[in-house]
C-alpha cells in the first residue's frame, strides 16, 4: 500500500517497525514538521485499518489511530523500503486481554493471553509468505509461542494460515468470539490462570474483555476490581510502556528499551 508521502521519516528505514499507543513517528522533526509526521503516521494506520476491514467484510475498521491511542495494543508493520517513497505490505496488531476461556472439559478459567486482534497483507502480496514473516517477527519479539495466543474471531484465511504455518488446526471456539488452540492450557508456561466459579444456570458468563470486533460494547479498561490488578503479565513490546505508566510521580521512569529503530521498536 502506497502513500503520497515518503514513508521513511514516518516509519523508519527498516523492514519491520513497531507502533504502540504513543504513535511516535520515526523522524525527529520538531514543531510543524513533527505534527506533519504524526499526522502521516495516523493516516498510515487509518488507511491500513480500512483496507483490513474491507478485506474481511467488516463495516468498521478494527484498527485506527484513535483506537491505537486508547488501547495498549502493538502494531507490527511490514515495509517495502525501496525508494522513492516505500510502501506498507501488511500489518499485525496484538495486545493482552483478560478473557474468560472454556477448557475442553467445560471448566472456565480467567487468563490474560496475548491476542491476535487484526492481521492484513495487501491483496497484491498475499500467499507469498509475508504474513508468515510478520507473524514470526511478532512471536519472536513478544516471546510467545503460537499455541499460547488467543485469536479474535479469525477469518477462514487466518485459520488456514495458522494451520499451515504453525500446526494450529484444532480451534477451541469461545463464547467471546476468541479462538484458542490445542496446547493453549498445557505445560507450565501457560498464561496466568485463575479458576472461575461456574455460573448458576440462570446467569450466563459475561466476559468483561470482549472481542475487538464488538465495537459498541468494548470497554477500554476492565471494570472494578480488575482495573486494580497489578499482577497482570507485562511482556514484550508492551512492557516498557506499562512500566513507564506505572512509575510513581517524582520517580525516574525506567530507561527506554534498546530500540532497533526510532519507531518504538523493542529489542530483546
Ligand atoms: N484463501 C485461503 N487461504 C489463504 C488465502 C486465501 N485467499 N490467503 C492466505 N491464505 C492462507 C493459506 O493457508 C495460505 O497457504 P496456501 O497458499 O498454501 O494455501 C497461507 O495463508 C499463506 O501464508 P502467507 O503467504 O504467509 O500469508 P499471507 O501473506 O497471505 O497473509 C493473511 C495471511 C494476513 C491472513 C492474508 O491472507 C490476509 O490479509 N487476508 C485478508 C484479511 C484477513 O482475513 N485477515 C485476518 C482477519 S482475522 C484477525 O485478524 C484476528
Amino acid at each position: 500500500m502506497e502513500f503520497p508521502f515518503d514513508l521513511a521519516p514516518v516509519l523508519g528505514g527498516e523492514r519491520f517497525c513497531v507502533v504502540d499507543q504513543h504513535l511516535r513517528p520515526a523522524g525527529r522533526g520538531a514543531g510543524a514538521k513533527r505534527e506533519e509526521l504524526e499526522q502521516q503516521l495516523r493516516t498510515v494506520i487509518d488507511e491500513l485499518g480500512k483496507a483490513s476491514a474491507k478485506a474481511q467484510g467488516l463495516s468498521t475498521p478494527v484498527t485506527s489511530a484513535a483506537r491505537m491511542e486508547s488501547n495498549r495494543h502493538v502494531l507490527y508493520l511490514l515495509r517495502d523500503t525501496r525508494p522513492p517513497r516505500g510502501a506498507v505490505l501488511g500489518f499485525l496488531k496484538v495486545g493482552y486481554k483478560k478473557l474468560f476461556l472454556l477448557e475442553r472439559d467445560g471448566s472456565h478459567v480467567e487468563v490474560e493471553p496475548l491476542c491476535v486482534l487484526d492481521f492484513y497483507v495487501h491483496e497484491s502480496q498475499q500467499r507469498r509468505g509475508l504474513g508468515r514473516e510478520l507473524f514470526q517477527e511478532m512471536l519472536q519479539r513478544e516471546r510467545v509461542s503460537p499455541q499460547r495466543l488467543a485469536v479474535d474471531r479469525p477469518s477462514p484465511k487466518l485459520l488456514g494460515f495458522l494451520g499451515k504455518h504453525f500446526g494450529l488446526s484444532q480451534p477451541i471456539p469461545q463464547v467471546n468470539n476468541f479462538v484458542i488452540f490445542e496446547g493453549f492450557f498445557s505445560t507450565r508456561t501457560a498464561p496466568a490462570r485463575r479458576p472461575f466459579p461456574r455460573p448458576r444456570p440462570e446467569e450466563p458468563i459475561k466476559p468483561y474483555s470482549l472481542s475487538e470486533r464488538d465495537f459498541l460494547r468494548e470497554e477500554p479498561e476492565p471494570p472494578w476490581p480488575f482495573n486494580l490488578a497489578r499482577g497482570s503479565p507485562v511482556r514484550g513490546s508492551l512492557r516498557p510502556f506499562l512500566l513507564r505508566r506505572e512509575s510513581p510521580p517524582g520517580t525516574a521512569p525506567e530507561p527506554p528499551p534498546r530500540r532497533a529503530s526510532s519507531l518504538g521498536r523493542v529489542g530483546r
Side-chain angles (χ1 to χ4, degrees):
M1 179 178 278
E2 293 179 355
F3 294 88
F5 45 82
D6 184 4
L7 285 169
V10 184
L11 302 176
E14 298 184 33
R15 187 158 171 80
F16 290 100
C17 69
V18 183
V19 179
D20 66 14
Q21 188 174 40
H22 299 294
L23 302 189
R24 289 194 197 97
R28 292 181 187 278
K33 181 63 189 166
R34 179 81 188 172
E35 277 174 33
E36 186 187 357
L37 292 179
E38 284 172 359
Q39 187 48 51
Q40 289 174 344
L41 178 56
R42 299 182 72 88
T43 301
V44 169
I45 295 170
D46 287 343
E47 292 306 313
L48 286 171
K50 283 185 214 165
S52 179
K54 193 173 170 198
Q56 297 173 55
L58 303 175
S59 56
T60 313
V62 176
T63 299
S64 67
R67 288 173 70 80
M68 281 297 295
E69 279 177 317
S70 57
N71 290 281
R72 293 168 181 174
H73 297 159
V74 179
L75 200 59
Y76 287 84
L77 298 172
L78 179 60
R79 303 273 318 285
D80 176 349
T81 56
R82 284 175 296 182
R85 292 198 292 248
V88 181
L89 301 171
F91 75 90
L92 173 59
K93 185 172 81 169
V94 296
Y96 285 94
K97 278 185 170 281
K98 284 180 191 274
L99 302 172
F100 289 123
L101 296 179
L102 203 58
E103 292 204 61
R104 281 222 187 271
D105 66 2
S107 59
H108 293 98
V109 288
E110 182 193 345
V111 291
E112 192 170 359
L114 188 66
C115 300
V116 176
L117 303 173
D118 201 4
F119 189 21
Y120 170 72
V121 167
H122 191 268
E123 282 73 6
S124 65
Q125 305 292 327
Q126 289 177 14
R127 292 186 133 156
R128 296 181 181 192
L130 297 180
R132 181 172 190 232
E133 209 182 324
L134 250 176
F135 214 88
Q136 291 279 23
E137 182 75 10
M138 178 279 292
L139 292 174
Q140 209 180 8
R141 285 171 184 259
E142 300 292 337
R143 300 182 201 184
V144 66
S145 55
Q147 68 271 22
R148 301 280 179 239
L149 297 168
V151 185
D152 188 357
R153 207 177 298 189
S155 66
K157 285 185 187 180
L158 181 52
L159 286 173
F161 170 93
L162 292 171
K164 173 176 174 154
H165 294 307
F166 302 103
L168 301 177
S169 53
Q170 292 182 295
I172 309 172
Q174 302 293 320
V175 287
N176 48 20
N177 287 317
F178 281 80
V179 163
I180 57 171
F181 293 87
E182 203 66 48
F184 181 90
F185 290 111
S186 65
T187 81
R188 59 184 186 280
T189 55
R193 49 186 286 179
R194 224 184 289 169
F196 183 68
R198 282 174 179 277
R200 282 173 291 186
E202 70 278 14
E203 289 180 358
I205 288 176
K206 294 174 186 159
Y208 55 82
S209 183
L210 297 165
S211 162
E212 273 293 287
R213 290 126 204 271
D214 293 333
F215 302 105
L216 299 176
R217 292 185 295 152
E218 187 187 37
E219 300 165 48
E221 290 291 335
W224 185 92
F226 303 111
N227 58 353
L228 304 177
R230 287 278 172 180
S232 301
V234 178
R235 296 182 289 262
S237 296
L238 297 172
R239 182 177 164 75
F241 167 68
L242 295 179
L243 290 177
R244 267 203 305 283
R245 290 224 340 170
E246 287 174 9
S247 298
T251 62
E254 185 168 276
R258 182 171 65 81
R259 294 183 187 281
S261 85
S262 52
L263 188 69
R265 302 193 62 177
V266 180
R268 288 181 312 280

